[in-house]
Amino acid sequence: MTTFRRFGQLILSALALSAILSIEAVGQTDSTLVAEPDTTQNNAPRIPVITVTADDLDSELGAQDISGILQSSRDVYTATAGFNFGTARYRVRGYDSRNMLVSINGIFVNDMESGWATWSQWAGLNDVTRYMEVRTGVSASRYNFGGLGGYTDLNVRASNVRKGVRVSYASADRAYRNRLMVTASTGMRKDGWAFSFSGSRRWAEEGYAEGTSFDAYAYFLAAEKKFNDRHSISFSGFGAPMVQGRQGVAVQEAYDLAGTNYYNPNWGYQDGVKRNARMSFDHKPMFIASHRYTPDEKTNWNTSLYYTFGRDGLSGLQWFDAQDPRPDYYRYLPSYYTPSLSVNGQNDPEQADILAEAWRSDVNTRQINWDQLYFANGKNLYTVENANGIAGNNITGNRSKYVLEEVRADPTRIGINSVYDKALENDAHLTVGGSIHRQKTHYFKVVDDLLGGDFWLDVDQFADRDFNDTLVSQNDLDQPNKVVRKGDTFGYDYDIQTRFYNAFAQYEKKWAHVEVYGGGEVTYTAFWRDSRLRNGRFPDESQGKSDTQDFFSYGLKGGVVGKLSGRHFISVNAAWMTRPPIPRTAFISPRTRGQVVDGLTNESIYSGDINYIIRSPKVKGRATLYYTKMMDQIWSRSFYHDEFRTLVNYSMTGVDQVHQGVELGVEGKLSSTWSATAVLGTGSFRYASRPQATITRDNSPEVFDEERTVYWENFRVGGMPQTAASLGVRYNSPKFWFAGVNANYFDDMYLDPNPDRRTAEAIGTYAESDPQVAMLLDQTKVDPGMTVDLFLGKSWMIKRQYRIALNATISNILNNQDLRVGGFEQARYDRTDTNRFPPKYSYLFGRNYFAMLTFSF
């Protein structure tokens, strides 16, 4: 790690402004509790921009054409942050995807329940989506009001896709091994028609991590008709069906026992063939019809109608009255039998040694033992009396103790978007627009595989254990003792309905040395739950439509650009906005009832940045200082609570966050063939309040605690590096080949803190000097790391009509396999022994490659 730190210091010192732009943490971690956390773990700053990873977008080696600030040339900071830092889960100024608004033909496509944009919905369509416009932070936008972290707009009209035919094959050793893509576009023809088609397949029997598989297709069809200079209509339809075997995360002990940091607990052998229990199924096609009206050269009016629907599923093991089938369950690890856990585990070092050897030598110990699951299901003869609530309907057979279920969240969404913009006199510009969106997401579970059994009995295992009442444990009171088989719905079955309406306006004005803009938005959001099932835990609150939650919100933004010269600029942007809580966290436990978190209210946000931009023939760059505060957010999770010994719903209100930091990117031409880049992102992303937590039992109305204070203030927001830096050099040969190398450094990476460990109740009666106090309070910080990436390419022209290109990149060429890039503190914990449920981690892939051969004409 010393080498990594020294390398990082070299990169940071190489950036001339780093010393004066570094930010110190505003305060120490909240220390009102009995003892103060280790401040060496919590005094960092750091990070920033758009998270579009090479894998997420099937990147063509960084060749995306990304618009920058003030002009269309690429912003080096945005490009580097998106492609070089993406694998380390770098984020836009520490923001999650909810804060980056993504639109296609002007229609915002962020999910209305989570706020997140799902890039996999159009993955594999690089030839169509490669020409996107990206802006970072608060800025002027002629598509919509924009997001806190900026916006990305993809234009998928047929006339916008590059004319010609393009065929490519790619080989890789990442999520997939192979990719084949074909794209053909006519451009705008003389008869006023334009057509475009693109299709691809990506596949791998096994990806980089053992037990993962990948099988995905993508398709795109578009047509556009230009009737005259004033009217044109267009249609675009696309989709990306994908089936993927998922990689899991694990505790470090499991990685060490398996001998690899890419251990995957999700798979096991069945009849000698690898089978993954966590398979994702995703296909959400989207269709867009647009009308463009241009009555004159200064006016554009674009209106689009869209419809999307599809499947979003994830399989997993479910069990009842049986041992946990997960191989890395904490009771199956040697540490459970070591003396350090003798209070809660078993003090049996001999058994620990036997188990450790089994982990190292027996694949059925460290992976899912599918054969054992089938054996257990085939030896469980059971009679269900009055099955499905029908008197005398007795069913006898092998009741499955284990099943493979598929958890579904299938969205259906329709809407219309209209934007009018006009160039006014005296270099002014006006944009107004509005949209209407309606979304319904169907949440349910289906039996995917009975694993050798005859049926599954639809009862809740926690309620069955906690209550001596067979009716309480029923998931469907109208069909008690419900017997389900493959393909049947069970557990829960409900919709979340969401409505969103907005209107916005923006005014821009230019003078010789100053540009200004200002904009505003008003929105109305409503959501509710509508369930088809009545369960035994909440017979009066589980079925039917819940109360509607509705919110009016607004946003204001403005900015000014000062033109110091034709090459030097200063810009300032600011915004104040409110927004509703997202439905996904507003409901306490939507699986069981329609109850929402008490005191739902709009979130409030204010944000600002100041930028220096240089655009000269030899040097292009940007330096930015930014500050954002988000207030009154909601945090909700469900997990097994050891103190209450049951599944609980943990909801916090009044969650505030502060994100502040520096962005610096410089690109310079060293000669006609050599260029270099230097990028630094450093920030302080932290929680800035003491939220109030409410803890409720998941399977009853019982409230365990209504006003538990969580001392989260100044703890770090986890899940990404808060410092990232890169140095790169590139050679462009006049003989049509190029090569380059980038060195990247990541630091200040924290795991998101478990809130309940930062409460007075968790500290209890511990003395201030007790080491358990520090173990409960200290936030987990992972070690820094570095990667080096190599890229090169060559192109040939044949008869000035046909082009062949070969491009390749080798990522993490030094094969650093110890860089942790994700993970979390487990919500379940034991206040008397924090080592019982240690954090889970994920690691950056080691050395890997992507190579592509393209033929176009």
Side-chain angles (χ1 to χ4, degrees), residues 124 220 223 305-306 366 632 751 774:
F220 169 82
L305 177 68
Y306 74 94
R366 66 176 177 269
D632 297 320
L751 301 188

Side-chain angles (χ1 to χ4, degrees), residues 568-850:
H568 300 271
F569 309 85
I570 297 289
S571 71
V572 178
N573 303 280
W576 169 266
M577 63 186 73
T578 63
R579 64 184 180 190
I582 56 176
R584 188 159 294 181
T585 58
F587 290 96
I588 288 178
S589 177
R591 295 172 292 103
T592 60
R593 58 198 185 274
Q595 182 183 358
V596 298
V597 175
D598 288 340
L600 284 183
T601 186
N602 274 322
E603 301 173 9
S604 298
I605 303 167
Y606 59 86
S607 179
D609 61 51
I610 183 169
N611 310 270
Y612 166 71
I613 303 102
I614 180 173
R615 292 283 187 261
S616 71
K618 290 184 178 283
V619 179
K620 296 180 181 180
R622 172 169 63 89
T624 299
L625 292 169
Y626 61 88
Y627 180 92
T628 299
K629 185 168 186 179
M630 295 175 270
M631 298 167 282
D632 297 320
Q633 300 176 107
I634 295 173
W635 188 99
S636 294
R637 301 289 188 277
S638 295
F639 59 92
Y640 187 87
H641 199 291
D642 270 49
E643 178 185 351
F644 302 124
R645 305 187 66 80
T646 190
L647 188 68
V648 302
N649 309 124
Y650 200 101
S651 301
M652 294 192 298
T653 57
V655 178
D656 297 351
Q657 291 175 222
V658 167
H659 293 235
Q660 63 184 61
V662 173
E663 298 170 344
L664 176 63
V666 179
E667 180 177 21
K669 282 191 174 184
L670 306 180
S671 70
S672 61
T673 54
W674 286 93
S675 62
T677 60
V679 169
L680 166 68
T682 182
S684 173
F685 316 138
R686 63 192 185 277
Y687 294 102
S689 63
R690 297 176 180 176
Q692 295 297 304
T694 299
I695 309 173
T696 58
R697 184 190 289 270
D698 185 67
N699 53 27
S700 84
E702 181 179 1
V703 178
F704 292 118
D705 200 329
E706 286 189 281
E707 295 183 355
R708 177 172 292 194
T709 300
V710 178
Y711 293 87
W712 248 14
E713 193 166 8
N714 287 324
F715 276 87
R716 300 292 168 159
V717 178
M720 72 287 198
Q722 299 201 6
T723 290
S726 178
L727 289 176
V729 62
R730 176 180 174 123
Y731 175 77
N732 289 296
S733 170
K735 296 185 178 181
F736 306 105
W737 65 271
F738 68 89
V741 63
N742 290 302
N744 312 301
Y745 175 76
F746 306 100
D747 201 353
D748 300 315
M749 294 176 279
Y750 296 83
L751 301 188
D752 224 17
N754 174 342
D756 206 50
R757 279 173 48 182
R758 282 77 186 188
T759 62
E761 288 78 4
I763 301 302
T765 57
Y766 285 127
E768 184 173 344
S769 59
D770 195 309
Q772 286 287 350
V773 173
M775 295 179 71
L776 283 165
L777 293 180
D778 288 350
Q779 187 174 5
T780 305
K781 181 183 180 183
V782 303
D783 293 329
M786 62 169 285
T787 62
V788 178
D789 304 327
L790 175 68
F791 57 92
L792 62 158
K794 168 69 175 173
S795 64
W796 300 265
M797 289 295 295
I798 302 174
K799 296 181 179 180
R800 297 186 178 182
Q801 182 178 359
Y802 304 99
R803 181 176 183 268
I804 298 175
L806 177 63
N807 297 293
T809 181
I810 303 175
S811 299
N812 194 7
I813 197 170
L814 300 181
N815 200 31
N816 180 4
Q817 298 188 7
D818 297 318
L819 179 57
R820 292 169 172 166
V821 295
F824 53 88
E825 293 183 1
Q826 295 194 64
R828 184 179 183 183
Y829 75 101
D830 184 343
R831 60 180 295 272
T832 65
D833 193 340
T834 55
N835 289 326
R836 187 179 184 187
F837 302 103
K840 293 190 174 184
Y841 301 102
S842 63
Y843 285 83
L844 181 78
F845 286 168
R847 185 185 302 114
N848 60 88
Y849 77 92
F850 179 91

Side-chain angles (χ1 to χ4, degrees), residues 429-487:
H429 197 281
L430 176 67
T431 305
V432 295
S435 63
I436 299 172
H437 308 267
R438 299 165 62 93
Q439 177 173 313
K440 179 183 75 172
T441 305
H442 183 194
Y443 291 91
F444 61 107
K445 297 195 300 181
V446 296
V447 178
D448 186 67
D449 194 335
L450 288 166
L451 303 180
D454 296 320
F455 60 84
W456 173 265
L457 190 60
D458 189 15
V459 295
D460 182 88
Q461 62 173 324
F462 288 103
D464 187 73
R465 185 202 64 183
D466 294 344
F467 304 101
N468 187 24
D469 188 332
T470 57
L471 286 179
V472 171
S473 63
Q474 299 294 327
N475 285 326
D476 187 352
L477 273 179
D478 297 323
Q479 296 185 72
N481 297 329
K482 183 178 178 181
V483 171
V484 293
R485 298 180 175 85
K486 181 177 175 61

Side-chain angles (χ1 to χ4, degrees), residues 364-394:
N364 287 323
T365 296
R366 66 176 177 269
Q367 304 296 157
I368 297 172
N369 192 336
W370 289 101
D371 294 337
Q372 181 60 38
L373 305 187
Y374 274 82
F375 177 81
N377 285 347
K379 301 292 183 179
N380 191 34
L381 197 63
Y382 189 90
T383 298
V384 181
E385 297 181 353
N386 303 322
N388 302 325
I390 303 173
N393 182 29
N394 301 330

